[in-house]
Amino acid sequence: MGVDDRRKFLAYCLGGIAAVAAAGIIYPLFRYLSPLSSQLESSKVTIPEGAVREGEANFFQYAGSAAVLVHHPGGALVALSAVCTHMGCIVQWQKDRQEFFCPCHGGRYTSDGAVISGPPPRPLPKLPFAVANGIITVG
Amino acid sequence: MSIMRRIFRWLDVRIGAGEIIEKELTGYLLPPNINIWYSMGSILLFLFALQVVTGMLLLVYYVPDADKAFTSVTAIMNRVPFGWLIRLCHVIGSNMMVLILFFHMLSVLFMGSYKKPRELNWLSGFILFLLVMSLTLTGYLLPWSQLSFWATTVTTNSVGVIPFVGQYLVEFLRGGVLVGPPTLGRFFALHVAVLPAAVALMVGVHLFLLKRVGISAPPFGCAETKNTWQGESYRYEAHPGGIPFFPDYLLQDLTSIAVCMACFFALLFFDPSIFFPKDAFIPADQFRTPEHIKPEWYFLANYQTLKLFPSEIIGLAVQGVAILFLALLPFIDRGAERHPLKRPLFLLLSIGGIMVWIGLSIWGHYS
């Protein structure tokens, strides 16, 4: 093995050690700065049935994001994601018009989450829920 | 032409990179008899950078609020992935920094490198030492544990013995009569903003002085061990025929850093709770004073000195005089000789001083 070959071999060895050391620093750093798993898990949220009156909407935190429960006149309930499908702003409930409005770019949705007008490309995603013994369980 | 050479050439024709490398690295010659003790400064720079990076990472999850600080630190240790690693690196890094700082100062003392024309190098280094001690003191409160709370209570209280202004100073430091949420706010601001900025500034001054005056040659392995500078005019101490900083001494610096980090990780993985007594795991309670509260190992001598003297003000004054004596040493010790064995009085006083410091620390630990 010549001098150049030995130099190359040593350089590869050092490069390998440096790569392992870098991985040993980068992996813990990446895990440290990643969102905590508990913040992303979709745990169930319970709301008393009486807390949402007819014609009103109740906003709450769900799976680390914003959600809304709408009580339609007549008694029907619907649970939706409150995150606008356009740019991720939180939609606002307009009680007098019984629809959602996104103040960021003027997107409008029906109380069921369907797009009425404006830039949103998709309806608001529906969330699963169940009602039992006067308790609404979302998730 | 390889890609690296092309990048270098691109830089060289624009900013004269080759000239900088020649002047600051390959052409920056160090004394031929330079030894391992000269790498302490590089280790300290590395540790300071480590403290800054781990400190910034801790800020992601730490909440500087008296109601939430302890919980946030507990979450960092137990819930955040690798949070324990980041925090332990910060804690062990701070202790290691103090230890290496001691070694750095001792090597400068024994090799007489503080003597003229390097009085300002010593003074700026001494200010850095005081700033690092202040950093450890302010950082100690942030976890808001029983240990943090009561150690800060005792430390801030000792300022109260200063005549006339003592009590006002205590309240000024604490932001109130007792240690409480305002103290946490102050110490947090000092620890993460004011003191690190001051350290960075002083490191800049220290390195500027080092570059302007030139590195001192060790007084070992040479016939002439006396200081030759007479003070008639500015002189850069060059070392023609010496060893280049790059790659020769940089390799020594990297070796020293690697050895230091080996000790660092040995502590981190095999004795992670070495710097955590049981009171560090209990949230601060201002109505329950724990028994036997002790400061960190580097403050144990000060703690024991305060207990030795019947009057607290005498204990504090003795320490103040000792610190002032050390800070002004280059102006007091004006002899030209630098070899420690040719300075018997210095050798006697310094070894005696170190023994007293170690003795007081051990006494303080077991008292």
Side-chain angles (χ1 to χ4, degrees), chain B residues 17-35:
Chain B
E19 191 190 312
I20 296 173
I21 289 172
E22 164 61 22
K23 192 173 167 224
E24 306 295 337
L25 298 172
T26 52
Y28 178 39
L29 300 179
L30 305 175
N33 58 339
I34 196 164
N35 56 44

Side-chain angles (χ1 to χ4, degrees), chain A residues 27-29 31-32 34 36 38, chain B residues 57-58 61 79-83:
Chain A
Y27 177 69
L29 268 184
R31 289 291 317 279
Y32 181 80
S34 299
L36 293 178
S38 60
Chain B
L57 288 169
L58 288 172
Y61 295 103
R79 280 187 54 220
V80 179
F82 293 100

Side-chain angles (χ1 to χ4, degrees), chain A residues 6-24:
Chain A
R6 276 207 299 272
R7 278 198 176 152
K8 257 187 196 164
F9 174 73
L10 279 174
Y12 284 135
C13 287
L14 278 175
I17 293 169
V20 170

Side-chain angles (χ1 to χ4, degrees), chain B residues 198-353:
Chain B
V199 169
L201 182 74
M202 283 317 289
V203 166
V205 171
H206 199 62
L207 292 178
F208 168 77
L209 290 165
L210 181 80
K211 291 293 287 180
R212 283 301 291 168
V213 185
I215 201 156
S216 69
F220 309 118
C222 50
E224 182 57 68
T225 57
K226 283 191 175 172
N227 204 343
T228 53
W229 188 70
Q230 298 301 316
E232 63 284 359
S233 62
Y234 165 70
R235 181 196 71 174
Y236 172 77
E237 190 172 341
H239 303 283
I243 63 164
F245 173 71
F246 180 85
D248 298 52
Y249 203 73
L250 187 68
L251 206 60
Q252 174 62 65
D253 276 343
L254 292 175
T255 310
S256 301
I257 290 170
V259 170
C260 173
M261 290 315 283
C263 301
F264 181 98
F265 284 116
L267 267 183
L268 198 151
F269 291 117
F270 293 102
D271 200 355
S273 55
I274 186 170
F275 298 116
F276 297 110
K278 70 175 174 49
D279 287 318
F281 300 105
I282 304 168
D285 181 348
Q286 61 166 329
F287 298 111
R288 219 185 76 224
T289 312
E291 288 175 29
H292 313 300
I293 199 94
K294 296 265 171 72
E296 281 287 89
W297 60 271
Y298 38 83
F299 284 128
L300 277 173
N302 308 65
Y303 162 81
Q304 189 58 26
T305 309
L306 277 180
K307 288 206 296 183
L308 275 180
F309 289 93
S311 151
E312 210 177 338
I313 185 140
I314 297 175
L316 212 62
V318 166
Q319 293 182 48
V321 168
I323 289 171
L324 202 64
F325 175 78
L326 264 179
L328 301 177
L329 188 64
F331 306 99
I332 299 164
D333 176 13
R334 301 175 68 82
E337 184 55 58
R338 292 180 54 221
H339 197 291
L341 296 178
K342 294 176 185 170
R343 292 187 287 155
L345 180 65
F346 163 83
L347 207 59
L348 192 75
L349 284 175
S350 52
I351 291 178

Side-chain angles (χ1 to χ4, degrees), chain B residues 56-97:
Chain B
M56 283 176 176
L57 288 169
L58 288 172
L59 280 176
V60 175
Y61 295 103
Y62 175 73
V63 186
D65 179 304
D67 293 330
K68 296 173 184 161
F70 186 81
T71 319
S72 68
V73 172
T74 311
I76 289 170
M77 291 297 278
N78 300 321
R79 280 187 54 220
V80 179
F82 293 100
W84 59 271
L85 181 66
I86 306 292
R87 184 171 180 230
L88 286 180
C89 279
H90 200 69
V91 171
I92 294 174
S94 71
N95 281 276
M96 206 126 216
M97 208 169 161

